[in-house]
Each structure stands twice: as structure tokens, then as C-alpha cells.
């Protein structure tokens, strides 16, 4: 089985701004590429799991989201830290879906898709709901990022 580094997007991969969907709105978090290069070198898959209620609220479309993620994947590849995949939940908090964090749906689906051993994987999130989702999925190593990535 494979190991993975699961990352929330807004607040972990990029500086959080409300409902970002254009490359011009993205500022990558200091250290994200270094962190992901290390994970890649260690054989970990790099997977983004992100709530995107801006889609459900009509602020941007799924096509807009996928275009931004294609751009991000290109940037990560250029930096020597290729993203394996990304998973997103377009639903509103009140929709009660199984994919929106703190529920573990996106993580569980990624584990199935990529043959990932969740007990030997890691998750970085900037909200308690990220940590709850990782823990519910069976990830033991969940880290709450508070404005700074753990580079050690």
C-alpha cells in the first residue's frame, strides 16, 4: 500500500482568501513546495482535499475550480513536487453530504482510488474540521497548521 500527504488547500497550500478561483488570487504558502518535494522524495502521494462551497454558492463554477487546479498542478510539477490528485466538495455546509469535511468522504475515496494506507499517511489542515476528517478516516498523523507549515 501507498503512503500519502493529504493537504487542505486554502490556508495550507495557498494563503486563504474567500472563494479563490483564479490564479491571480493565489499566493502559495511559504515552504509548501519544499514540504511537498520532501514528501515526494519519501515516496508519498500528494493529495489535496478541499471544501469548495463557493461552487455551491454560485461564486464560481466547477469548470473554474478545475482550471485553477490544473494551473496549480502545473506549478507543483514545475517545482519538483507533483500533485497526485485533488478531491473537492462543492456542497454547502447545510447540504449534509458525506464528502464535506469534517466528514472523511474525500479522504476515504482517495485511499480507495490510490491504494493508500491511511494509518501510515499524514494530513495538514488549517481548521479543526480538517483534523476531524483525517482522524475519522484513520489518519493518525494529523497536524493543525496555524499560519506556518511544519518543515521539520
Amino acid at each position: 500500500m501507498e503512503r500519502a500527504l493529504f493537504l487542505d488547500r486554502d490556508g495550507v497550500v495557498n494563503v486563504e482568501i474567500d472563494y479563490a478561483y483564479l490564479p491571480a488570487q493565489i499566493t502559495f504558502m511559504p515552504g509548501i513546495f519544499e514540504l511537498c518535494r520532501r514528501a515526494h522524495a519519501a515516496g508519498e502521494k500528494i493529495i489535496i482535499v478541499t471544501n469548495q462551497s463557493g461552487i455551491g454558492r454560485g461564486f464560481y463554477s466547477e469548470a473554474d475550480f478545475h482550471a485553477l487546479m490544473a494551473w496549480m498542478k502545473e506549478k507543483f510539477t514545475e517545482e519538483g513536487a507533483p500533485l497526485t490528485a485533488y478531491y473537492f466538495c462543492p456542497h454547502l455546509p447545510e447540504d449534509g453530504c458525506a464528502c464535506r469535511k469534517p466528514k472523511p468522504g474525500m479522504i476515504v475515496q482517495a485511499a480507495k482510488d490510490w491504494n493508500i494506507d491511511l494509518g501510515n499517511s499524514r494530513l495538514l489542515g488549517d481548521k479543526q474540521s480538517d483534523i476531524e476528517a483525517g482522524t475519522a478516516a484513520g489518519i493518525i498523523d494529523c497536524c493543525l497548521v496555524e499560519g506556518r507549515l511544519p518543515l521539520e
Side-chain angles (χ1 to χ4, degrees), residues 9-10 17-22 25 50-66 68 88-90:
R9 195 188 79 181
D10 303 311
I17 66 164
D18 288 340
Y19 308 112
Y21 69 96
L22 297 170
Q25 297 171 305
T50 179
N51 290 342
Q52 292 294 312
S53 67
I55 296 168
R57 296 177 199 284
F59 296 151
Y60 51 92
S61 68
E62 283 194 29
D64 294 329
F65 170 77
H66 288 299
L68 175 62
F88 71 103
C89 172

Side-chain angles (χ1 to χ4, degrees), residues 29-94:
M29 290 288 286
I32 190 63
F33 296 123
E34 178 185 346
L35 175 76
C36 290
R37 277 192 295 271
R38 288 181 185 175
H40 178 66
E44 290 177 290
K45 304 238 180 258
I46 303 168
I47 300 174
I48 293 175
V49 288
T50 179
N51 290 342
Q52 292 294 312
S53 67
I55 296 168
R57 296 177 199 284
F59 296 151
Y60 51 92
S61 68
E62 283 194 29
D64 294 329
F65 170 77
H66 288 299
L68 175 62
M69 292 309 297
W71 176 83
M72 287 181 115
K73 283 185 82 167
E74 184 178 303
K75 294 297 178 195
F76 272 80
T77 298
E78 289 171 3
E79 291 287 339
L83 296 177
T84 302
Y86 62 87
Y87 293 78
F88 71 103
C89 172
H91 304 110
L92 300 176
E94 58 271 16

Side-chain angles (χ1 to χ4, degrees), residues 102-104 108 118 130-139 142:
K103 293 184 181 169
V108 170
L118 292 172
D130 300 318
I131 304 308
E132 290 172 20
T135 301
I139 299 174
C142 295

